[in-house]
Amino acid sequence: MTAWRHYTLMVVFLVACLGMAVRIVYLTVAEGDFLIGQGDNRSVRTVSIPAYRGVVYDRYGEPLALSTPAAAMWTDPSKKTLTAEELAALADLLDLNTDRLMQQLSRNSEREFLYLKRRVSWSEVQQVKALGLQGVYFDREYHRYYPAGETVAHVVGLTGIDDHGLEGIELSFDQRLQGVPGEKEVLLDLHRQTIKNLQFGKPPRYGEDLTLAIDLRLQFLAYRELKAAVESHKATSGSVVMLDVATGEILALVNQPSYNPNDRADRPAAGMRNRAITDAYEPGSTIKPFTVLAALETGRFSADTVIDTSPGHFRVGNKLIADPVDRGSITLETALQKSSQVAIAKVALELEERAVYDALVRAGINEYAGTGMPGEVAGSMSDLGLRYPVVRAVLSYGYGLAVTPLQLAQAYLTLATGGVRLPLSIVRQTEPPAGERVFAQAHVSEVLRMMEGVTERAGTAHKAHVEGFNIAGKTGTARKVGAQGYDDERHAAWFAGIAPATLPRLVTVVMINEPKGTNKSGGEVAAPVYARVMARALRLLGVSPDEVSAD
Amino acid sequence: MSGSNFLIWLVMLVVAVGSGIQVALSAHQTRTLHAQLETAQKAQDDALAVQSRLLIERATLAAYQNVERAAQTELNMQFPASAKQVTP
């Protein structure tokens, strides 16, 4: 009677034990990897340690873009850990809308991840932590600040929410600035707090700092004067480029309109363009010094060569080339000073077919300046029509080609250096780069001497005169192409100058696009901007005046 | 059990116990070092936060427009005329 109960119980226990043993073996051998994986999925995390993005400095160490530690604050909406009062307190602290926050949470109540706010500053993080909320988590990230704001916005550019460069230097030097994020493996508890560091994968490699060639003081000066001029002339846009003659560095590069890179809501499409390098315009008379240079190179012309411009206009093919007044017989020097279309075109037609074109190519027109800033264009100039006299004639006074303000500055740099073409650079150079001689010193000196006449009282740009300094420059007023050919109302007003003319230090190009008002010439609109910027810039750099006025 | 056999057993036991203690010690050391690393990283973060805040403050206060305004309004400085310039 009792024996069979005893044996039955024994068998049941044995079968149960055997069953469990089989199950254990099955779980460990057949499903082991899967189960360990599932377990790790729930508690082990590889977290990336964000790398600190490099600082962008100006040439004297002023920060133009820098990162500060911040946090991305997030929660798990599916757990519903936050009460209404807690949410209200949180929203109050973070300057968020309570109702919207509630809606977001309820809308995403199925999800396990929702950013409450990104780029929360370090001090705010401490305040939120002080509230002692359950279920609010912080991920480390960095917030990018641009202390100089809109003044250097186009050069420096900006980064997106994930700390990747979107524009400007931030984009083109993204790899260098970014660094490499580190990794570590951590064990999380139920509340997703790190309870143990399992493995320290690799430390983050911080991004490299970058020192630009920009001089923030000059940049600010140029920006302020350009902004004032664009506003007072109701112009569409404008640019100023300033180059260092010794090194080819870009000391200032400003555009109007601009934008504030610190304000993510302020992103006007028109203001984002770095117009000095992305927009090409016809340069007009600013090209004339190169025509004169090409003429000097033949040896058949000199500053005193007399050109007969009467009756103030002449015809090439079916194109009428005209001066505003009949200037009679003038020397080549006067032709440049007064910016005579007739005289310059007549000179150009005496030269070989490719002479002016070649001079411009040597000066860097039609080529990328290669600064590495995104969106740079090479402008356009073609040698296809050079066998037609009309094409050569208009090319000699700056029509039929398009250049960016930066390219024109580079071309003038070849004059300022005495005929040596330097590579341009937006990054600060430790030693002067090797240049390439493209014009003979003697010819360039002669052209520079003639260009000094432009800013004298009798010249077209007497408003570019800077007291105490001799300035070699040239104005340009190019009509823009509209629906019916060249438009008489829309102009690009240029001034390109080299200061001081005797021992050049700075090359500056001012371009004001579509100024409104009665006088839209480069001499009236762009030259005064140049003079105001230069008066301050030359003193800032401690350049000795050429002429010391008596008394 | 012979004497030499017993000796081997004893040595093995001591080695096993010793390595067990070593494991525990090294685990503890790892934790301590990790904690130190965390502290150091936090300190670095705080220092970075301070540094960048100071840089931003300096850049804002010493912005060219502020310097110019202060020079003109507070210090009554004025831009020199050409005739007053002293050439070095």
Side-chain angles (χ1 to χ4, degrees):
Chain A
M1 167 71 186
T2 49
W4 72 266
R5 286 178 66 172
H6 177 76
Y7 286 120
T8 316
L9 209 61
M10 285 291 276
V11 169
V12 167
F13 270 107
L14 257 176
V15 169
C17 281
L18 215 73
M20 276 193 270
V22 169
R23 180 69 181 156
I24 286 172
V25 170
Y26 175 75
L27 285 181
T28 1
V29 176
E31 298 207 324
D33 290 345
F34 170 76
L35 290 173
I36 290 172
Q38 287 292 313
D40 286 351
N41 279 351
R42 279 161 181 74
S43 57
V44 176
R45 290 284 182 280
T46 304
V47 285
S48 101
I49 311 165
Y52 183 74
R53 197 176 167 88
V55 181
V56 181
Y57 293 106
D58 91 330
R59 65 185 300 119
Y60 297 120
E62 286 294 322
L64 302 178
L66 67 129
S67 295
T68 61
M73 199 180 287
W74 60 277
T75 188
D76 180 350
S78 66
K79 294 239 171 69
K80 302 191 177 60
T81 43
L82 295 167
T83 65
E85 294 89 67
E86 283 176 338
L87 270 179
L90 192 64
D92 208 32
L93 201 63
L94 297 179
D95 205 13
L96 297 171
N97 185 333
T98 317
D99 294 335
R100 262 195 66 203
L101 195 60
M102 299 267 221
Q103 276 171 22
Q104 275 180 337
L105 280 172
S106 60
R107 203 172 339 115
N108 294 294
S109 58
E110 303 292 305
R111 303 213 166 100
E112 297 185 345
F113 186 95
L114 178 76
Y115 278 126
L116 290 168
K117 191 179 180 184
R118 296 198 66 174
R119 305 265 187 269
V120 185
S121 75
W122 218 232
S123 56
E124 280 179 319
V125 169
Q126 306 304 333
Q127 288 173 336
V128 173
K129 280 186 176 165
L131 289 178
L133 302 179
Q134 280 289 319
V136 175
Y137 313 107
F138 303 93
D139 280 351
R140 198 200 315 171
E141 58 181 6
Y142 292 101
H143 184 65
R144 198 85 168 142
Y145 276 107
Y146 301 95
E150 59 180 42
T151 315
V152 273
H154 294 116
V155 177
V156 175
L158 59 115
T159 57
I161 191 83
D162 288 317
D163 231 14
H164 288 276
L166 296 181
E167 291 276 354
I169 290 296
E170 294 269 37
L171 175 61
S172 47
F173 288 85
D174 199 28
Q175 287 294 321
R176 234 177 102 175
L177 289 166
Q178 214 177 55
V180 184
E183 268 176 10
K184 64 175 177 180
E185 220 168 61
V186 295
L187 195 64
L188 302 178
D189 68 358
L190 185 65
H191 302 297
R192 300 207 192 211
Q193 305 292 352
T194 305
I195 47 171
K196 192 180 172 192
N197 284 304
L198 295 177
Q199 239 178 51
F200 198 73
K202 55 177 186 201
R205 210 189 70 213
Y206 282 7
E208 286 174 53
D209 292 348
L210 189 66
T211 302
L212 298 187
I214 296 287
D215 183 337
L216 192 56
R217 301 170 305 169
L218 300 181
Q219 177 88 5
F220 170 72
L221 267 178
Y223 183 79
R224 186 182 60 183
E225 296 303 338
L226 179 69
K227 189 174 183 180
V230 165
E231 271 169 17
S232 71
H233 292 287
K234 297 182 178 61
T236 321
S237 62
S239 299
V240 174
V241 178
M242 203 185 288
L243 303 180
D244 184 355
V245 174
T247 58
E249 290 171 309
I250 301 173
L251 295 178
L253 192 157
V254 298
N255 301 289
Q256 268 288 310
S258 186
Y259 65 99
N260 180 1
N262 292 311
D263 184 359
R264 276 169 205 282
D266 175 35
R267 293 280 182 277
M272 300 293 284
R273 290 246 294 279
N274 189 357
R275 291 165 194 269
I277 66 165
T278 62
D279 289 15
Y281 309 85
E282 279 178 302
S285 307
T286 49
I287 289 303
K288 283 177 184 166
F290 297 95
T291 307
V292 172
L293 189 56
L296 292 181
E297 282 182 333
T298 62
R300 288 184 282 130
F301 290 86
S302 73
D304 306 321
T305 307
V306 175
I307 304 137
D308 180 17
T309 68
S310 56
H313 53 81
F314 80 117
R315 209 167 259 287
V316 185
N318 56 9
K319 161 99 181 152
L320 183 73
I321 294 172
D323 281 339
V325 290
D326 177 8
R327 301 194 196 279
S329 289
I330 51 174
T331 61
L332 189 58
E333 186 171 357
T334 316
L336 191 63
Q337 186 185 24
K338 299 282 184 191
S339 201
S340 163
Q341 314 285 71
V342 174
I344 295 291
K346 279 190 168 170
V347 168
L349 292 176
E350 301 253 326
L351 305 177
E352 279 185 46
E353 274 186 14
R354 299 185 63 91
V356 176
Y357 179 86
D358 280 347
L360 290 173
V361 167
R362 274 181 283 157
I365 303 291
N366 216 20
E367 281 175 37
Y368 287 100
T371 58
M373 281 186 285
E376 191 184 314
V377 298
S380 68
M381 178 169 74
S382 167
D383 59 353
L384 287 179
L386 286 179
R387 67 177 186 280
Y388 301 111
V390 64
V391 172
R392 300 203 300 274
V394 298
L395 183 66
S396 73
Y397 57 81
Y399 280 89
L401 77 165
V403 304
T404 63
L406 183 72
Q407 278 183 307
L408 191 68
Q410 185 181 29
Y412 270 68
L413 186 64
T414 61
L415 298 180
T417 54
V420 178
R421 187 172 153 192
L422 295 174
L424 300 190
S425 155
I426 189 70
V427 177
R428 190 177 166 192
Q429 302 293 305
T430 42
E431 51 193 72
E436 178 197 356
R437 178 157 288 283
V438 289
F439 299 116
Q441 174 88 52
H443 299 144
V444 173
S445 304
E446 187 68 357
V447 172
L448 280 182
R449 194 186 58 73
M450 287 193 242
M451 283 163 71
E452 282 182 47
V454 174
T455 58
E456 285 165 7
R457 187 155 293 279
T460 51
H462 58 88
K463 291 194 172 169
H465 177 71
V466 179
E467 197 157 358
F469 293 96
N470 296 326
I471 306 286
K474 186 72 196 78
T475 57
T477 314
R479 288 186 295 163
K480 294 187 70 178
V481 179
Q484 266 93 37
Y486 280 107
D487 193 330
D488 277 334
E489 291 304 310
R490 292 157 61 234
H491 295 77
W494 294 85
F495 186 83
I498 297 165
T502 33
L503 195 69
R505 289 282 302 273
L506 295 172
V507 169
T508 309
V509 169
V510 178
M511 204 286 302
I512 302 210
N513 186 21
E514 295 185 24
K516 316 288 188 294
T518 47
N519 203 330
K520 296 165 239 183
S521 70
E524 290 295 324
V525 176
V529 177
Y530 176 84
R532 281 199 291 273
V533 173
M534 273 305 123
R536 291 294 182 93
L538 289 172
R539 285 190 198 185
L540 263 178
L541 297 179
V543 180
S544 306
D546 291 308
E547 29 183 278
V548 180
S549 48
D551 93 347
Chain B
M1 198 181 275
S2 71
S4 70
N5 238 349
F6 175 75
L7 205 67
I8 289 172
W9 272 100
L10 196 70
V11 168
M12 292 308 267
L13 189 74
V14 168
V15 167
V17 169
S19 101
I21 291 169
Q22 248 337 260
V23 167
L25 279 179
S26 102
H28 175 69
Q29 199 183 13
T30 312
R31 268 199 300 279
T32 332
L33 287 176
H34 266 308
Q36 279 175 12
L37 182 67
E38 293 275 300
T39 322
Q41 272 176 341
K42 197 175 167 334
Q44 183 192 32
D45 247 15
D46 291 345
L48 262 180
V50 171
Q51 185 215 19
S52 48
R53 204 192 63 229
L54 290 175
L55 275 174
I56 291 168
E57 270 176 24
R58 190 189 74 182
T60 315
L61 293 175
Y64 201 73
Q65 53 259 58
N66 291 348
V67 172
E68 205 168 64
R69 196 185 322 111
Q72 279 167 0
T73 60
E74 289 169 32
L75 302 174
N76 284 324
M77 295 167 93
Q78 45 182 278
F79 204 70
S82 176
K84 288 183 188 163
Q85 277 184 66
V86 179
T87 332

